Amino acid sequence: MTVGGSGGAVAEHPPPSRTPAVPDAGRRRPLGARLLGPQRRNLWFWAFVGPFALGLGLFTYVPLAWSVYLSFFDAHNTVSPSGSDFVGLGNYTAMVTNEAFLGSLGTFALFTVFIVPATYALSLGLALMVNRLRIAQAFFRSVFFLPTACSYVVAAVIWKLSIFNGVRFGLANTVLGWFGADGTAWLSTTDPPWYWLVIVTVRLWLQAGFYMILFLAGLQRISPQLYEAAAVDGARPGWQTFRYVTFPQLRATSVAVVLLLVINAFQAFDEFYNLLSDARGYPPYARPPLVYLYYTALGRDQNLGLGSAGAVILALIIALATVVQARWFGLGRKEE
Amino acid sequence: MDDALTRAGRALRVVLLVALALLFLVPFYLLVRNGLATERDITAPDWTFFPRVLQWSNLTEVFQDPNLPLGRALLNSTLIAVSTTAGTVLLASLAGYGLARIPYRHANAVFYAILGTLMVPAAVTFVPSFVLVSSLGWISTLRGLVIPTLFSAFACFIFRQYFLGFPRELEDAARVDGLGYWRTYWRIVVPNARPVFAAVGTIVFIGAWNAFLWPLVIGQDQEAWTVQVALSTFTTAQNLNLHELFVAAAVSIAPLVVVFLLLQRYIVAGVERSGIDD
């Protein structure tokens, strides 16, 4: 790839001798020319994509490989396997038989079951309502989108210390008091599991507006002629139009939204960590995988080998779930 | 009768929208309410919607607390967010353009290798990334906080999808005029793709400003704290001053709210035209 050293002008005026208009099938072109491709497109491709790909390789793939390597060692307090015992698949068998880890996967599954449909329904509902507005559309869009600017740290401060403040009086308990109900210690009540309400509402508030924008974009791409045709065919405005025109037309958006929601749910960490842990530590309930792994790898034990094995298992599950989902929805078919 | 029904439906929708909008605004209100209230007012057992006393001195007090270097943290967050945004947008837009527009036999394979990293959970790469950064001597430096986060597969994906749908005629005309890929990109593509740049830029800026785990680990010295790290160390401190915490949290989101309200139009337009769902 050293041939392109002379910069931009080279590819703009490729010397005809290097790229014959009619490729000569009988003779192999020189290696350099083949590497560069027609009009040095390969070189240009890598000039554009290379820096990004290189950085991604260094800061994602290298650590990933390192993690996989480390997961075969009994590595405590160290991230270099030298000096640690090679335990083969020991960490993996320990992980898949570990009730706490399996419980964390259960927590994740439960969280996904709550948060994906809830966000989907809320953001689609908001988009449908906002889209029909003739006045104040920008205002409502801004209001629902604004929480996107908030961090989980800030949101956790508000949720934990103001709305769902169970120790002292907070907004939720004050409102309950108006109806004569007793206050609840929201974050520490596990039966019924009120902490789920806190965790789900934080994320709903933070992310619904972003997905609403995606749905709004999808809605605006639906051709008005489709609605006219539906009206001619006798579809009543409202549910029927939504059922037979709007919803099917939003299919591509829906696929993207669900995919992003599931991936994001898998990576849940910030709100669980900020809401549930305190000076006394982290309660054993409601630990999603990332929180569990964080405590395994960086907690008192510093069991980095075991933590890496759990992380690899988690990555495989996510990859599998995403591929299955993508196949199922037929994502990427257009590109082939 | 149909008409009355439609009108009733419309009224119901507006009522529902207003109610939801108020619900969405309540947390912001609480942030400001508690930020301007006295400590007693926040923790009083008879909680009131409006604080009894507005204590504006909270705003200056929080900047003078030696345990909470808020001014320095705001500066760090600004530097990090601005450089992360500039770097990410540049790298990801170039890569997205190359993937979408420069014919290359293995372009799809490269694309899937990039997209695949979206699925890699933070926990998998977090510890080794930390070691990598510390062995480079980048702990508590701007480099360590920024460079490893510059390679956003999500941003690259959005740019690629956008450029796939970009009208080819413009570029063809540029090519006929003798411009190469490089100059076509800078002179034709970038100026015509401003909405997607604004959209991705804003999303990246928000993400960088709100990032928590990476700055917590890399920014170990107090000098390198970001706003989020400063806030979180404040919450775990022994003497928890709620009024200071809330006013600091409010100050920390103020710059974003401004950026956001100014650029919202572009974000929406960018997402609309990015073809994220095509």
Side-chain angles (χ1 to χ4, degrees), chain B residues 44-276:
Chain B
D46 51 334
W47 192 89
T48 54
F49 195 71
F50 295 101
R52 293 173 189 85
V53 186
L54 281 182
Q55 191 167 262
W56 291 96
S57 58
N58 288 355
L59 261 173
T60 46
E61 187 189 328
V62 74
F63 279 98
Q64 283 151 7
D65 187 335
N67 296 318
L68 178 79
L70 189 63
R72 178 67 202 232
L74 281 169
L75 179 69
N76 286 339
S77 283
T78 308
L79 282 174
I80 289 166
V82 168
S83 46
T84 301
T85 307
T88 304
V89 164
L90 177 72
L91 287 162
S93 69
L94 285 172
Y97 184 76
L99 286 165
R101 278 294 204 260
I102 304 178
Y104 175 59
R105 203 143 51 102
H106 307 295
N108 261 344
V110 175
F111 174 62
Y112 285 117
I114 291 170
L115 202 61
T117 63
L118 271 181
M119 290 180 255
V120 179
V124 185
T125 57
F126 168 62
V127 175
S129 299
F130 170 70
V131 178
L132 187 67
V133 167
S134 66
S135 62
L136 289 168
W138 288 1
I139 297 290
S140 286
T141 64
L142 193 63
R143 276 188 308 250
L145 286 157
V146 171
I147 292 176
T149 66
L150 287 181
F151 309 95
S152 157
F154 181 71
C156 177
F157 172 70
I158 301 263
F159 276 114
R160 174 187 177 268
Q161 298 302 98
Y162 181 87
F163 290 134
L164 279 178
F166 197 71
R168 220 174 249 279
E169 295 77 27
L170 268 174
E171 288 163 88
D172 286 344
R175 308 272 306 162
V176 168
D177 287 348
L179 296 185
Y181 282 116
W182 195 248
R183 280 196 275 169
T184 306
Y185 177 78
W186 284 109
R187 292 203 199 150
I188 310 294
V189 175
V190 173
N192 283 293
R194 264 172 302 189
V196 75
F197 278 88
V200 175
T202 318
I203 291 170
V204 171
F205 188 89
I206 292 169
W209 186 273
N210 287 340
F212 173 56
L213 194 56
W214 189 250
L216 180 72
V217 174
I218 300 302
Q220 289 177 345
D221 300 343
Q222 211 186 58
E223 292 282 285
W225 280 359
T226 65
V227 161
Q228 310 297 335
V229 176
L231 281 179
S232 79
T233 53
F234 204 42
T235 56
T236 54
Q238 297 211 310
N239 288 335
L240 185 64
N241 283 325
L242 284 173
H243 66 282
E244 270 191 45
L245 177 59
F246 274 98
V247 80
V251 167
S252 82
I253 68 164
L256 270 198
V257 170
V258 172
V259 166
F260 206 78
L261 291 179
L262 285 178
L263 290 179
Q264 203 219 153
R265 206 157 44 91
Y266 291 103
I267 309 173
V268 175
V271 173
E272 271 169 26
R273 285 189 237 162
S274 70
I276 185 177

Side-chain angles (χ1 to χ4, degrees), chain A residues 165-196:
Chain A
N165 186 338
V167 187
R168 302 183 196 92
F169 256 63
L171 180 64
N173 283 343
T174 303
V175 172
L176 277 182
W178 294 342
F179 298 101
D182 289 335
T184 301
W186 297 96
L187 281 164
S188 53
T189 309
T190 54
D191 185 29
W194 284 121
Y195 60 90
W196 276 110

Side-chain angles (χ1 to χ4, degrees), chain A residues 12 61 67 142 220-221 253, chain B residues 113 124 183 228 264 272 277:
Chain A
E12 285 153 25
Y61 279 102
S67 239
S142 301
Q220 271 152 34
R221 263 200 297 267
T253 312
Chain B
V124 185
R183 280 196 275 169
Q228 310 297 335
Q264 203 219 153
E272 271 169 26
D277 44 2

Side-chain angles (χ1 to χ4, degrees), chain A residues 38-265:
Chain A
Q39 296 176 332
R40 305 192 174 187
R41 276 186 196 140
N42 296 358
L43 180 71
W44 280 108
F45 178 85
W46 285 111
F48 275 79
V49 181
F52 181 87
L54 201 69
L56 199 68
L58 185 61
F59 291 109
T60 300
Y61 279 102
V62 168
L64 193 64
W66 198 331
S67 239
V68 172
Y69 183 54
L70 199 62
S71 70
F72 298 116
F73 290 87
D74 182 33
H76 283 263
N77 288 314
T78 173
V79 288
S80 103
S82 61
S84 309
D85 288 337
F86 180 81
V87 292
L89 291 174
N91 284 328
Y92 287 89
T93 50
M95 240 359 181
V96 293
T97 53
N98 181 341
E99 271 179 32
F101 180 65
L102 296 178
S104 78
L105 290 177
T107 300
F108 154 72
L110 203 59
F111 182 59
T112 312
V113 164
F114 276 115
I115 199 68
V116 174
T119 311
Y120 183 91
L122 180 61
S123 53
L124 178 57
L126 290 176
L128 287 171
M129 288 193 287
V130 168
N131 193 42
R132 295 248 210 103
L133 284 176
R134 283 190 210 116
I135 49 161
Q137 194 191 46
F139 169 77
F140 281 105
R141 205 178 53 192
S142 301
V143 167
F144 296 129
F145 195 32
L146 203 54
T148 310
C150 233
S151 73
Y152 277 103
V153 178
V154 171
V157 167
I158 305 171
W159 254 248
K160 184 182 185 174
L161 299 170
S162 184
I163 300 178
F164 292 106
N165 186 338
V167 187
R168 302 183 196 92
F169 256 63
L171 180 64
N173 283 343
T174 303
V175 172
L176 277 182
W178 294 342
F179 298 101
D182 289 335
T184 301
W186 297 96
L187 281 164
S188 53
T189 309
T190 54
D191 185 29
W194 284 121
Y195 60 90
W196 276 110
L197 184 72
V198 186
I199 280 173
V200 170
T201 48
V202 164
R203 188 169 272 240
L204 256 184
W205 181 71
L206 278 169
Q207 72 179 8
F210 177 75
Y211 295 99
M212 174 198 73
I213 296 291
L214 294 190
F215 278 123
L216 273 176
L219 284 173
Q220 271 152 34
R221 263 200 297 267
I222 302 176
S223 153
Q225 286 156 356
L226 281 175
Y227 288 108
E228 286 162 24
V232 170
D233 288 347
R236 291 164 54 83
W239 173 246
Q240 281 193 339
T241 310
F242 176 75
R243 168 81 180 73
Y244 293 107
V245 181
T246 313
F247 191 68
Q249 287 291 314
L250 283 177
R251 189 176 165 278
T253 312
S254 293
V255 172
V257 166
V258 172
L259 214 61
L260 288 173
L261 279 174
V262 173
I263 291 176
N264 284 337

